[in-house]
Amino acid sequence: MRKPPRGAGLFITFEGIDFCGKTTQARILASYLKGKGYNPLLIREPGGDRISEKIRKILLSEKNANMTPLTELLLYEASRAQLTQKVILPALQEGRSIICDRYYDSTLAYQSYGRGLDKRIIRWLNQIATYGLSPDLTILIDVPVEVSWKRREKEKRKKDRLEKEKIEFHRKIRQGYLKISRQNQKRMKVVDGTEDIDKTWQRVKRVVDSYLIKSYSLVKE
Ligand SMILES: Nc1ncnc2c1ncn2[C@@H]1O[C@H](COP(=O)(O)OP(=O)(O)O)[C@@H](O)[C@H]1O
Ligand SMILES: [Mg+2]
């Protein structure tokens, strides 16, 4: 598939299991980049566009617990196609930078490593829904499931039982993410997310700074 035209904007995505710290770090990065003179657009997946947000509601509604894995996959891809064509590509073409909280790696991690759908189908649908677009840099915030669960309980102020089945599901996703990162070492950087917000930010910052230095030196050459 032909790569869509790109402006000079950066496209950075955050990945990782729920409660690993993606949204927190994405916000800090947005204000860091603002300070460096970028004008980053912070968006989330699924969502980021009126129609995509409607699809998000369908996906996250507890009433839709009997949604099949395939329906779920197609809705995530539908939301992504809308967001990519209506928001991400136009912004990049204008030279704006984008920070996206989850993108297509989430689908491979959850729908394939988690739900067991065929990876080839997911890769193909990811290609279609993104128009072949890939992030410049993906930061995988890695934490053990137990750490994410403690944060979830703290935020929701209730003890939620982490049953064996739930642990296994989230462990599979974490392992899936680590595997994806090993297969995409150039684009995807793993950051240990087990320490506090500031220490984790220092790690994220190091990764972003080193990406910026490398891409600037490439431009100069
Ligand atoms: N490094 C961290 N240490 C402790 N708590 C954190 C850390 N990062 C985020 N949190 C808290 O954990 C919860 C989930 O963080 P969030 O950024 O929303 O995760 P995600 O977007 O990956 O689900 C929030 O209450 C947040 O304040
Ligand atoms: Mg979040």
Side-chain angles (χ1 to χ4, degrees):
M1 193 182 284
R2 201 165 63 85
K3 294 270 173 212
R6 289 278 306 266
L10 299 168
F11 181 25
I12 300 176
T13 59
F14 279 88
E15 294 286 352
I17 59 175
D18 278 339
F19 290 85
C20 69
K22 295 179 298 299
T23 304
T24 305
Q25 296 299 325
R27 286 191 185 135
I28 303 174
L29 177 62
S31 71
Y32 176 68
L33 288 180
K34 227 175 240 171
K36 278 185 167 292
Y38 291 86
N39 179 21
L41 186 62
L42 180 58
I43 48 181
R44 67 175 179 185
E45 255 218 344
D49 161 273
R50 193 179 59 82
I51 296 170
S52 303
E53 287 289 338
K54 281 194 171 167
I55 300 173
R56 179 188 179 92
K57 280 209 181 106
I58 299 172
L59 279 164
L60 304 186
S61 165
E62 282 177 12
K63 284 187 209 144
N64 295 335
N66 69 347
M67 187 182 291
T68 73
L70 181 60
T71 306
E72 189 183 51
L73 167 65
L74 294 171
L75 284 174
Y76 275 113
E77 298 292 6
S79 161
R80 178 165 304 137
Q82 180 72 18
L83 176 71
T84 304
Q85 187 170 0
K86 289 290 184 191
V87 180
I88 299 180
L89 287 173
L92 289 174
Q93 279 157 14
E94 278 173 21
R96 255 191 111 171
S97 292
I98 292 182
I99 300 167
C100 197
D101 193 340
R102 294 194 179 282
Y103 200 48
Y104 63 72
D105 297 302
S106 285
T107 310
L108 200 56
Y110 283 77
Q111 273 62 50
S112 172
Y113 289 96
R115 305 251 189 251
L117 292 176
D118 189 329
K119 286 186 193 63
R120 285 167 309 173
I121 294 175
I122 294 176
R123 288 204 179 98
W124 185 51
L125 288 174
N126 277 346
Q127 276 278 322
I128 293 170
T130 59
Y131 299 82
L133 178 72
S134 204
D136 298 310
L137 176 66
T138 297
I139 296 164
L140 169 58
I141 302 181
D142 181 54
V143 298
V145 172
E146 289 73 10
V147 171
S148 71
W149 214 266
K150 280 206 185 100
R151 290 179 190 168
R152 179 191 299 257
E153 285 175 343
K154 210 168 163 190
E155 192 172 285
K156 303 211 161 144
R157 286 188 186 80
K158 66 167 192 191
K159 290 267 174 217
D160 215 347
R161 266 170 7 97
L162 182 50
E163 305 116 28
K164 235 177 156 182
E165 202 181 316
K166 274 191 196 158
I167 297 180
E168 271 320 300
F169 181 71
H170 292 285
R171 275 206 187 120
K172 277 196 266 181
I173 291 161
R174 181 189 179 207
Q175 292 311 320
Y177 266 130
L178 290 170
K179 207 163 169 191
I180 297 168
S181 75
R182 286 194 293 273
Q183 291 162 351
N184 295 275
Q185 289 184 18
K186 219 174 144 207
R187 168 178 66 86
M188 216 163 163
K189 304 295 172 200
V190 185
V191 166
D192 173 6
T194 54
E195 292 195 88
D196 65 27
I197 291 174
D198 190 54
K199 286 210 179 91
T200 305
W201 161 243
Q202 292 308 320
R203 292 177 198 269
V204 171
K205 181 175 173 291
R206 222 173 294 147
V207 168
V208 172
D209 284 345
S210 119
Y211 175 80
L212 290 176
I213 289 165
K214 265 188 222 145
S215 54
Y216 277 126
S217 57
L218 275 179
V219 170
K220 270 186 219 148
E221 276 165 13

